[in-house]
């Protein structure tokens, strides 16, 4: 009863107490309050704490500005970073299993290969039966023996045969030609109209040329990826990157494997946005501004435009270029959170230049006022729960006193 009378006597101080409590608590982290994700101040504060306390995964926070954007533009997916040699392929060399023809010419009849009655023959030459480069990498030529052919060009093999026959034939000349190319092949597999293996062109062809020889991609192209495997290295790029960026359309080389596959690119949007969920690019690339628009934009009753974050893993070498101290991180991938300030009009220009990557995560944090309102509503609920029975008891006492006065 005494508590009820105290509340009645001091009710004018209750709003001030509630407001003071709300302002005090709102400046702190509130793990007991419902929220869609990390608060903006938690993201910024914990990015500076890389001690690994509480077994948390360390991450780096990078604020988008023109200097960072100039670095990010060099991080677009492409072949040019992995395969730096952009020169045309060298002359095709023989491999084990290739079928080769050898033709030997002599300057006059009566030599090693041309009999003295060669006057009735059409030319002073003899053509040996076609033969394959054997498992030891050699060709067999009469009177010259085993001639090394594997990993050598036709001109090199010709000169070796000439040198072997020079002291036995009359001014010999040799022509070596590739009849059936069974090595130095290029494989194009996956989502193309005619997957196949075909001989590499001696003239040199680029990746798009090889995909065209295989009938072109089956899909529309914006959700098509091209993977190139060469000499133990592998890289994948969107098909659009080959079409619109000539630097990625590098020369194909013998024994390349090109795999074309379809994988719709998507991103995930959380937090104070118009919609939340997973969204497809529906294009071979989109900007951060386009991604936010796909998700219905920011919710103007909840969002803090200065606290839009993009979560992405970056390679160590690239993270170092961003100014991140990579010595505090383990592994080849560094967790990075990019922060763009859309409260600043210049932030929208940066957002149009920031290219999304497949599987990126965007999170828009709530404004501080939203969290304060949550806390005040919570305190109002608690005080009302405590105050209601007290008010009821007080009203009962007042009613009893009034009845006694009537009697």
């Amino acid at each position: 009863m005494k508590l009820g009378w105290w509340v009645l006597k001091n009710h004018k101080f209750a709003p001030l107490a509630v407001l003071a409590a709300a302002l005090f608590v709102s400046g702190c982290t509130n793990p007991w309050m419902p929220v869609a994700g990390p608060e903006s101040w938690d993201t910024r504060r914990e990015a500076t704490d890389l001690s690994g306390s509480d077994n948390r995964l360390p991450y780096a926070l990078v604020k988008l500005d023109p200097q960072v954007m100039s670095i990010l533009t060099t991080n677009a997916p492409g072949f040019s970073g992995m395969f730096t040699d952009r020169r045309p392929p060298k002359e095709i060399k023989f491999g084990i299993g290739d079928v080769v023809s050898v033709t030997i010419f002599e300057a006059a009849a009566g030599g090693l290969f041309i009999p003295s009655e060669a006057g009735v023959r059409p030319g002073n030459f003899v053509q040996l039966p076609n033969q394959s480069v054997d498992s030891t990498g050699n060709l067999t030529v009469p009177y010259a023996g085993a001639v090394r052919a594997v990993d050598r060009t036709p001109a090199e093999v010709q000169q070796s045969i000439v040198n072997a026959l020079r002291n036995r034939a009359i001014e010999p000349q040799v022509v070596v030609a590739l009849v059936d190319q069974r090595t130095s092949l290029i494989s194009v597999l996956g989502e193309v109209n005619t997957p196949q293996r075909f001989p590499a062109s001696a003239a040199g062809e680029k990746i798009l040329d090889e995909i065209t020889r295989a009938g072109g991609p089956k899909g529309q192209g914006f959700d098509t990826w091209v993977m190139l495997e060469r000499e133990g290295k592998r890289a994948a790029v969107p098909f659009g990157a080959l079409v619109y960026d000539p630097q990625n359309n590098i020369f194909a080389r013998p024994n390349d494997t090109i795999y074309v596959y379809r994988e719709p690119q998507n991103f995930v949007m959380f937090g104070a946005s118009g919609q939340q969920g997973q969204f497809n690019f529906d294009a071979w690339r989109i900007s951060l501004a386009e991604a936010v628009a796909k998700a219905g934009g920011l919710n103007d009753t909840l969002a803090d435009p200065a606290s839009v974050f993009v979560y992405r893993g970056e390679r160590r070498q690239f993270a170092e270029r961003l100014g991140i101290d990579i010595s505090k991180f383990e592994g080849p991938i560094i967790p990075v959170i990019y922060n763009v300030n859309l409260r600043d009009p210049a932030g929208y220009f940066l957002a149009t230049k920031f290219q999304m990557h497949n599987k990126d995560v965007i999170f828009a944090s709530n404004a501080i006022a939203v969290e304060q309102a949550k806390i005040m509503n919570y305190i109002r609920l608690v005080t009302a729960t405590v105050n209601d029975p007290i008010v009821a008891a007080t009203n009962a006492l007042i009613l009893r006193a009034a009845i006694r006065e009537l009697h």
Side-chain angles (χ1 to χ4, degrees):
M1 295 302 178
K2 292 182 179 180
L3 178 61
W5 288 113
W6 184 90
V7 172
L8 288 176
K9 291 173 63 178
N10 301 279
H11 65 278
K12 61 182 180 179
F13 298 107
L16 294 176
V18 171
L19 180 59
L23 293 176
F24 173 77
V25 178
S26 65
C28 307
T29 301
N30 305 296
W32 40 271
M33 291 297 294
V35 67
E39 302 291 1
S40 59
W41 52 86
D42 288 336
T43 302
R44 294 185 176 94
R45 181 182 67 249
E46 294 177 10
T48 62
D49 180 14
L50 302 178
S51 60
S53 58
D54 300 331
N55 294 321
R56 289 178 299 183
L57 178 69
Y59 60 87
L61 182 66
V62 177
K63 184 178 180 181
L64 287 186
D65 56 33
Q67 182 179 359
V68 170
M69 284 305 310
S70 64
I71 299 174
L72 286 173
T73 54
T74 65
N75 195 37
F79 289 144
S80 55
M82 178 68 70
F83 307 104
T84 56
D85 188 356
R86 300 183 51 81
R87 295 174 299 177
K90 299 178 181 179
E91 188 175 358
I92 294 177
K93 298 181 179 181
F94 294 128
I96 296 174
D98 284 342
V99 179
V100 179
S101 70
V102 178
T103 303
I104 302 175
F105 294 81
E106 288 190 273
L112 184 61
F113 293 96
I114 309 302
S116 56
E117 64 274 10
V120 298
R121 296 176 50 136
N124 296 331
F125 69 89
V126 59
Q127 184 170 358
L128 303 181
N130 294 343
Q131 59 179 305
S132 299
V133 179
D134 62 26
S135 59
T136 62
N138 297 326
L139 295 174
T140 300
V141 178
Y143 305 106
V147 178
R148 191 68 177 171
V150 71
D151 291 331
R152 303 180 76 183
T153 64
E156 292 171 337
V157 176
Q158 289 171 184
Q159 189 59 47
S160 293
I161 298 175
V162 169
N163 292 338
L165 298 176
R166 176 166 293 148
N167 296 328
R168 310 188 69 176
I170 302 175
E171 299 181 17
Q173 298 292 321
V174 178
V175 174
V176 176
L178 181 61
V179 176
D180 186 4
Q181 186 174 332
R182 297 179 181 177
T183 62
S184 299
L185 304 178
I186 295 175
S187 301
V188 182
L189 313 172
E191 290 289 317
V192 291
N193 289 299
T194 53
Q196 58 179 306
R197 298 180 69 195
F198 39 76
S201 172
E205 294 182 331
K206 297 189 175 183
I207 301 297
L208 283 179
D209 298 325
E210 309 300 356
I211 295 176
T212 302
R213 290 176 68 180
K218 290 182 179 179
Q220 296 180 348
F222 63 79
D223 59 354
T224 299
W225 288 72
V226 179
M227 178 184 294
L228 173 62
E229 184 173 355
R230 174 185 296 171
E231 298 176 351
K233 297 180 180 180
R234 181 182 300 171
V237 300
F239 181 73
L242 296 178
V243 176
Y244 296 104
D245 188 353
Q247 290 187 346
N248 291 318
N249 190 24
I250 60 177
F251 280 99
R253 297 186 180 278
N255 303 316
D256 277 355
T257 298
I258 302 171
Y259 177 55
V260 181
Y261 63 98
R262 297 179 64 184
E263 181 183 349
Q265 300 184 80
N266 55 63
F267 67 93
V268 177
M269 184 81 186
F270 292 119
S273 58
Q275 303 177 48
Q276 299 184 26
Q278 186 180 70
F279 301 88
N280 289 334
F281 283 16
D282 293 329
W284 78 275
R285 66 179 180 183
I286 62 173
S287 67
L288 174 58
E290 292 171 317
V292 173
K294 272 183 170 288
L298 299 181
N299 188 326
D300 63 352
T301 62
L302 298 175
D304 176 11
S307 300
V308 177
F309 302 98
V310 179
Y311 292 68
R312 177 185 297 173
E314 298 287 12
R315 292 174 289 108
R316 292 184 69 89
Q317 298 87 340
F318 184 74
E320 187 174 20
R321 293 179 56 195
L322 292 172
I324 298 172
D325 183 4
I326 62 174
S327 64
K328 298 180 179 180
F329 297 88
E330 298 179 356
I333 302 299
I334 307 298
V336 178
I337 301 178
Y338 295 97
N339 174 215
V340 59
N341 181 7
L342 295 182
R343 193 179 293 277
D344 180 3
Y348 284 87
F349 291 100
L350 296 175
T352 59
K353 296 179 180 179
F354 184 93
Q355 296 299 319
M356 297 292 293
H357 287 188
N358 192 26
K359 308 302 182 184
D360 275 353
V361 176
I362 306 175
F363 181 78
S365 292
N366 287 344
I368 295 178
V370 173
E371 302 308 317
Q372 292 175 341
K374 286 182 182 179
I375 295 172
M376 295 181 69
N377 288 335
Y378 181 77
I379 294 176
R380 186 179 296 112
L381 176 63
V382 172
T383 56
T385 303
V386 175
N387 193 48
D388 286 349
I390 296 176
V391 172
T394 303
N395 290 338
L397 291 176
I398 295 173
L399 179 61
R400 181 183 298 179
I403 292 174
R404 287 178 180 176
E405 291 180 1
L406 291 176
H407 288 78

